[in-house]
Amino acid sequence: MSPGHSELPADMPAPDAGGCLATREILDRIGDKWSLYIVAVLANGSRRFNELKRGIDGISQRMLTLTLRGLERDGLVTRTMYPTIPPRVDYELTDMGRTLLKPVMALVNWANENQVAIAEAHKRFDEAPEPDQVLVQGVVYQRR
């Protein structure tokens, strides 16, 4: 993403305006715990349901089903069912879903590049005394 993408519009709509609500709903979908994983796995082509389940560590069958339905509803994923026994269902990114890969991969790369710095920030934050505490020679005292 270029720096031009980080500039806010001059006339920011109110948070409860229609455009903001729609944007928030879309960001809620792609920003949930599993959607980005699914999009990333589907980046290499169509996958069957169980391939997705095996490729995404920790996702339950129900959560995978719900997330895929949401992505399909948003037009990011297509579901193709084949009349075989047992039924075969393939999922793949739509053209619009593939446009999501560039910003998703930029976010993934940013996270990879900054994971050490973020872990260090967590450590500093977690070790810092609370505002109502004082640290004296390694001992935390509560202010009264």
Side-chain angles (χ1 to χ4, degrees), residues 14-128:
D16 59 348
C20 276
L21 291 175
T23 299
R24 189 168 54 227
E25 288 175 8
I26 293 166
L27 291 176
D28 284 346
R29 159 68 55 222
I30 62 171
D32 70 15
K33 183 174 182 177
W34 300 110
S35 291
L36 294 181
Y37 284 107
I38 292 170
V39 168
V41 171
L42 291 175
N44 296 322
S46 69
R47 296 282 186 268
R48 295 176 76 169
F49 183 89
N50 283 327
E51 287 178 292
L52 287 168
K53 189 166 183 317
R54 283 190 302 270
I56 302 171
D57 189 37
I59 193 167
S60 68
Q61 182 169 331
R62 175 170 167 68
M63 188 51 63
L64 179 57
T65 299
L66 291 173
T67 305
L68 284 167
R69 284 183 184 162
L71 291 168
E72 184 181 11
R73 182 173 183 252
D74 291 340
L76 301 173
V77 168
T78 59
R79 177 181 186 268
T80 305
M81 190 165 152
Y82 298 95
T84 60
I85 298 177
R88 176 179 161 190
V89 180
D90 287 353
Y91 295 90
E92 119 179 84
L93 292 175
T94 63
D95 289 341
M96 183 169 50
R98 280 188 285 283
T99 66
L100 187 56
L101 288 173
K102 186 175 181 179
V104 164
M105 293 316 297
L107 182 59
V108 167
N109 290 334
W110 178 88
N112 286 336
E113 291 166 6
N114 290 284
Q115 63 183 336
V116 171
I118 291 171
E120 290 170 354
H122 285 179
K123 186 177 178 184
R124 281 192 308 275
F125 181 88
D126 293 344
E127 290 174 351

Side-chain angles (χ1 to χ4, degrees), residues 126-143:
D126 293 344
E127 290 174 351
E130 293 292 321
D132 60 342
Q133 296 175 337
V134 64
L135 182 63
V136 178
Q137 295 181 347
V139 179
V140 177
Y141 294 95
Q142 189 74 31
R143 290 186 184 162

